[in-house]
Amino acid sequence: MKRSFAQLFISFLILLTFSGCNSFRTAMKTYEIGEYYNAIKELQDASRKEKDPALRMEIDHKIALSYWRIGDYKKAEPRFKNLITKKFSADSTLVLKYAHSLRFNGKYPEAIQNYKQYLDSFPENKEAQNGIKSCELTPIWEEKPTRFIVTQEKNLNSRFADYSPAYVGGLDNSLIFTSTRDGATGRKKSRITGQRNGDLWKSYFDIQKQKWEKPELIDNEELINTPNDEGAPTLSADGSLMFFTRCRFDKAKAMGAEIYETQKSKDTWSEPTSVEILGDSLVVAHPSLSKDGLTLYFVSDKPGGYGGNDIWKVDKLSDKWGEPANLGPEINTPGNEMFPFIRDNGELYFSSDYHPGMGGYDILKAYEGTHGLVVENMQSPINSTGDDFSITFLPGKDQGMFASNRKGSLSDDLYSFILPPKVYRTEGEIVNTESDTRVKDAYLRVIGTDGTNLKVRSEDGKFQFRMQPETEYIFAAFKDGFLNAKKIISTVGLEDSKNFDVSLRLTPTDAPINVDNINYEFGKFDLLPGSIQSLDSLVTLLELNPTIVIEIMSHTDFVGSAQYNSELSQKRAQSVVNHLISKGINPARLVAKGYGETWPKKVTKKIAKQYDFFNAGDELSEEYINKLQTDEQKEIAKSLDRRTEFRVLRNDFIE
């Protein structure tokens, strides 16, 4: 994972102010001023010539750190390991950096082992603790990414750094971004990055061709784009006012990063003016303007923060900006927080190299939750094991762009993203419980907590319905000659799209309906605890059909005398009625009847499918059962006879 150009450059500004390039006489001097790309070769040459083992180890340490600074962790990792093996003691964070390198290279178990080793010496170190969390979370996030769809914008990207996109006027077809590509106004290449200084570029989306047009410089008059470094734009809601960062140089001397503003009139931008926010800070960069234009978020190393780079905000007071305020330790850390973006809904997005994450810099979001400020990692695929930063959203939409140097990128590249809407569909059928076939010309009613109240006729017994997120629905089916049926389906709390299969089973009113799992101890009529759940479904059915009067019919097998079986079945039927009454069912709607062994079970199509030694329509009489081939078959048949059923006596009850 290469460290992004944007991160490397701003980090350089934080670290130092240097005198001219001509003063760089030695490899160590090159390293000290932050020219890590150049320093690596010079340090390697110096190491080969150095005979003092201790000094050579010090040089090797600087080589490892140079690879670390530019984000080449594959080359940094073995060098850190070698230094640890040789017991290099001048860097107390060596094991921590080695653990980071292992993590960035995807070697999570080894990384955790080294984080723990570091914690043995520094048990309170938050960075190492976060590193372990990152190792644990990254594989999970990669295995189960969020619903965001991420696309590399190849028509916008170059082989150089492209980052910090900003939509103009909230339009999805007009974009301003930062690039160090060929054609930039700053023609001299940086000795720090090897690339030109950044400029602001613009592009428009061709609707007919369905692609972004070739980017162009936002201006050619060197008003906005100059030989200095410009980037990180943010625009007012109407696109008429733009803030951006400018890093100025004077004879190769870094003058710091400042925020500038410019106004647009027709197609022309005015000459930028410096925004007076801080007077003595080296870095004031990465502006983000609130929707109302009254609050400006920015990055600074201003004293009083929590780390190298913190995110601050400042409010507009009439014709000037007020006193900057730090966003606090929930957002800012001992590390670096960069590239803030304040969304039109008030959510803050930013990048951090310290919060638990997947790579060097991860994109996080912060918002006010029920119990205070919540900071969340955007996870995969927004984040990767590379640097991910400078996110922006279209107003009112879950889509936008960000920059990343993840695998597959040429440098820092622009990526678009979109969160597709959650789709919930119900596909179902209305089925006759007796014949197990669809009921034609039945009616379906759908009632939802979102106000849905729909009644339709299903000609073929099938139906489809698209549901809304965070909604509970009641699906009810009914037809003359059948008992009503309903099911409740909820999309509340579902994070992913889902298809529901629903079967609404209508029971004919002229057929006995079996109540499954109504069990008793041998020779007794008290309901067992396991029978309660089955009877609760009967309670639901009675509540759903308030006009029916039913007969509870209890049956036995032929074992025992006829009189005994009749009396026992009557008591069992009455125990069911008593339970239903206890659940609030009107006693006038319930009739208990024990039939003993007089009404053998008739085999249904469903039973015949379950037991291949039965045929549909067979009556499980004593004579029939005794002719079955095995004792197991006979016992199954007798268990089917030992049942509790109900049938509808009439459908005109009025409470």
Side-chain angles (χ1 to χ4, degrees):
M1 177 187 72
K2 297 287 186 181
R3 175 55 48 91
S4 70
F5 167 81
Q7 317 292 355
L8 182 62
F9 189 81
I10 199 71
S11 297
F12 170 78
L13 290 177
I14 295 169
L15 287 172
L16 56 117
T17 301
F18 55 91
S19 48
C21 296
N22 292 330
S23 66
F24 301 162
R25 303 300 184 191
T26 65
M28 293 299 289
K29 190 66 173 180
T30 304
Y31 171 84
E32 288 171 359
I33 65 168
E35 291 188 357
Y36 303 116
Y37 284 95
N38 290 343
I40 289 171
K41 185 178 183 304
E42 295 179 14
L43 288 166
Q44 288 173 334
D45 290 340
S47 180
R48 284 191 291 268
K49 297 175 182 178
E50 183 57 53
K51 296 181 180 180
D52 185 344
L55 188 55
R56 189 164 58 247
M57 191 179 298
E58 178 64 31
I59 295 172
D60 291 343
H61 177 237
K62 293 296 188 292
I63 294 172
L65 289 179
S66 295
Y67 281 121
W68 168 265
R69 299 294 186 192
I70 67 175
D72 193 340
Y73 301 110
K74 288 186 176 180
K75 292 182 179 178
E77 177 196 320
R79 286 166 171 80
F80 285 138
K81 183 178 182 180
N82 184 57
L83 289 165
I84 293 171
T85 302
K86 293 181 178 180
K87 301 186 184 304
F88 181 77
S89 60
D91 185 354
S92 62
T93 65
L94 198 61
V95 174
L96 180 62
K97 290 186 176 69
Y98 178 51
H100 285 327
S101 299
L102 289 166
R103 174 165 72 88
F104 296 147
N105 292 332
K107 301 176 181 180
Y108 302 119
E110 294 177 64
I112 291 174
Q113 182 180 349
N114 281 272
Y115 281 127
K116 290 181 177 179
Q117 180 181 336
Y118 186 76
L119 286 170
D120 289 339
S121 301
F122 305 93
E124 302 300 322
N125 187 269
K126 187 69 173 178
E127 190 174 354
Q129 294 171 2
N130 286 347
I132 293 175
K133 289 182 182 178
S134 298
C135 289
E136 294 170 345
L137 291 171
T138 298
I140 297 172
W141 291 343
E142 289 180 328
E143 183 177 349
K144 192 177 180 181
T146 66
R147 294 188 303 112
F148 280 103
I149 298 173
V150 173
T151 305
Q152 189 176 22
E153 291 294 343
K154 294 184 178 181
N155 289 329
L156 292 174
N157 294 318
S158 66
R159 58 191 181 95
F160 300 100
D162 304 288
Y163 60 99
S164 290
Y167 293 102
V168 181
L171 302 175
D172 62 359
N173 64 344
S174 183
L175 191 74
I176 296 175
F177 65 98
T178 308
S179 181
T180 65
R181 66 185 62 203
D182 290 337
T185 304
R187 295 175 178 82
K188 292 184 178 181
K189 290 186 178 181
S190 168
R191 295 183 65 186
I192 306 161
T193 66
Q195 299 189 23
R196 290 179 169 86
N197 288 332
D199 276 345
L200 296 181
W201 297 71
K202 62 183 179 181
S203 180
Y204 299 95
F205 189 80
D206 190 317
I207 298 178
Q208 291 184 339
K209 295 180 180 180
Q210 286 295 294
K211 67 178 184 179
W212 289 98
E213 297 177 349
K214 183 179 180 181
E216 299 177 350
L217 286 167
I218 196 172
D219 76 324
N220 294 301
E221 290 79 24
E222 294 195 8
L223 292 177
I224 296 176
N225 293 321
T226 71
N228 294 300
D229 188 81
E230 286 85 26
T234 183
L235 290 96
S236 60
D238 62 1
S240 65
L241 178 65
M242 179 171 67
F243 296 84
F244 64 94
T245 305
R246 176 175 288 166
C247 303
R248 296 187 295 114
F249 295 86
D250 181 14
K251 296 181 180 181
K253 182 179 180 181
M255 303 298 289
E258 301 173 275
I259 293 175
Y260 283 74
E261 66 176 303
T262 177
Q263 293 189 345
K264 190 175 185 180
S265 178
K266 296 183 179 179
D267 292 328
T268 304
W269 292 99
S270 67
E271 184 171 357
T273 59
S274 179
V275 179
E276 297 297 328
I277 300 177
L278 303 175
D280 58 354
S281 180
L282 180 62
V283 175
V284 183
H286 302 172
S288 180
L289 190 65
S290 63
K291 179 182 178 181
D292 60 10
L294 299 179
T295 304
L296 190 67
Y297 295 78
F298 63 95
V299 169
S300 180
D301 64 342
K302 171 180 165 60
Y306 296 89
N309 259 335
D310 277 9
I311 298 175
W312 301 70
K313 71 175 182 178
V314 61
D315 295 328
K316 188 78 171 182
L317 303 176
S318 63
D319 60 341
K320 65 177 183 178
W321 296 98
E323 187 69 21
N326 191 288
L327 295 193
E330 293 85 358
I331 291 175
N332 295 312
T333 70
N336 293 297
E337 280 66 51
M338 313 243 278
F339 294 99
F341 176 79
I342 189 69
R343 198 173 171 186
D344 59 343
N345 63 4
E347 294 174 345
L348 174 69
Y349 293 78
F350 63 98
S351 291
S352 174
D353 65 356
Y354 194 89
H355 287 277
M358 300 179 65
Y361 281 85
D362 271 25
I363 298 172
L364 298 99
K365 95 171 166 178
Y367 60 94
E368 287 294 335
T370 307
H371 303 291
L373 188 67
V374 179
V375 179
E376 293 180 349
N377 191 290
M378 292 292 288
Q379 302 181 26
S380 178
I382 296 294
N383 288 318
S384 68
T385 55
D387 290 321
D388 305 286
F389 58 99
S390 66
I391 195 169
T392 187
F393 283 79
L394 281 165
K397 296 183 179 180
D398 289 325
Q399 67 180 94
M401 282 192 189
F402 67 95
S404 177
N405 64 355
R406 65 186 59 194
K407 185 178 181 180
S409 304
L410 296 175
S411 179
D412 298 336
D413 278 358
L414 294 174
Y415 289 80
S416 63
F417 66 89
I418 186 170
L419 184 66
K422 297 178 184 178
V423 178
Y424 303 104
R425 292 188 177 91
T426 294
E427 294 186 1
E429 56 183 5
I430 304 170
V431 179
N432 186 323
T433 58
E434 288 296 297
S435 64
D436 209 27
T437 58
R438 287 198 294 270
V439 179
K440 296 181 179 181
D441 296 324
Y443 284 90
L444 177 72
R445 168 150 277 171
V446 183
I447 301 173
T449 54
D450 62 344
T452 299
N453 194 335
L454 179 68
K455 180 182 177 182
V456 296
R457 185 168 68 93
S458 175
E459 294 183 0
D460 58 356
K462 298 174 67 178
F463 60 91
Q464 292 183 343
F465 184 77
R466 182 165 179 171
M467 300 179 294
Q468 297 299 316
E470 303 300 317
T471 307
E472 185 175 273
Y473 295 88
I474 297 175
F475 290 82
F478 51 95
K479 183 182 180 180
D480 290 343
F482 293 84
L483 299 178
N484 301 335
K486 76 171 184 179
K487 283 199 175 177
I488 298 175
I489 297 178
S490 177
T491 62
V492 177
L494 296 181
E495 296 185 0
D496 296 321
S497 299
K498 185 175 181 178
N499 290 332
F500 295 87
D501 292 323
V502 177
S503 179
L504 294 172
R505 304 183 68 81
L506 300 185
T507 301
T509 56
D510 61 352
I513 299 96
N514 190 53
V515 184
D516 294 325
N517 301 316
I518 305 301
N519 301 310
Y520 309 87
E521 292 185 13
F522 181 77
K524 296 184 179 180
F525 54 85
D526 295 323
L527 288 170
L528 294 176
S531 304
I532 304 301
Q533 187 174 357
S534 294
L535 287 179
D536 286 345
S537 66
L538 183 54
V539 172
T540 301
L541 187 143
L542 289 165
E543 292 173 342
L544 187 60
N545 298 270
T547 63
I548 65 171
V549 176
I550 66 171
E551 181 183 57
I552 306 299
M553 304 180 294
S554 182
H555 305 270
T556 68
D557 58 29
F558 56 82
V559 179
S561 68
Q563 182 178 352
Y564 175 82
N565 286 334
S566 177
E567 292 174 354
L568 180 61
S569 64
Q570 181 64 40
K571 292 176 180 179
R572 288 177 171 177
Q574 189 60 49
S575 71
V576 172
V577 169
N578 293 340
H579 177 77
L580 296 176
I581 293 172
S582 73
K583 292 295 184 177
I585 303 300
N586 192 322
R589 299 177 61 194
L590 306 170
V591 177
K593 178 66 176 177
Y595 286 89
E597 61 189 78
T598 62
W599 197 339
K601 177 71 175 178
K602 184 172 286 187
V603 176
T604 63
K605 290 181 179 180
K606 185 178 180 180
I607 294 175
K609 287 182 180 180
Q610 186 177 0
Y611 304 105
D612 58 7
F613 51 89
F614 292 142
N615 295 312
D618 290 348
E619 188 175 88
L620 303 181
S621 65
E622 181 177 1
E623 182 181 2
Y624 177 93
I625 293 175
N626 287 331
K627 291 180 180 179
L628 292 172
Q629 296 181 357
T630 67
D631 290 341
E632 182 182 4
Q633 292 176 353
K634 293 176 181 178
E635 184 53 41
I636 292 172
K638 285 188 278 187
S639 69
L640 292 173
D641 272 340
R642 298 191 296 267
R643 68 197 189 276
T644 297
E645 298 174 323
F646 75 91
R647 61 178 174 178
V648 178
L649 297 178
R650 61 180 207 270
N651 194 18
D652 59 358
F653 181 81
I654 299 176
E655 191 80 43

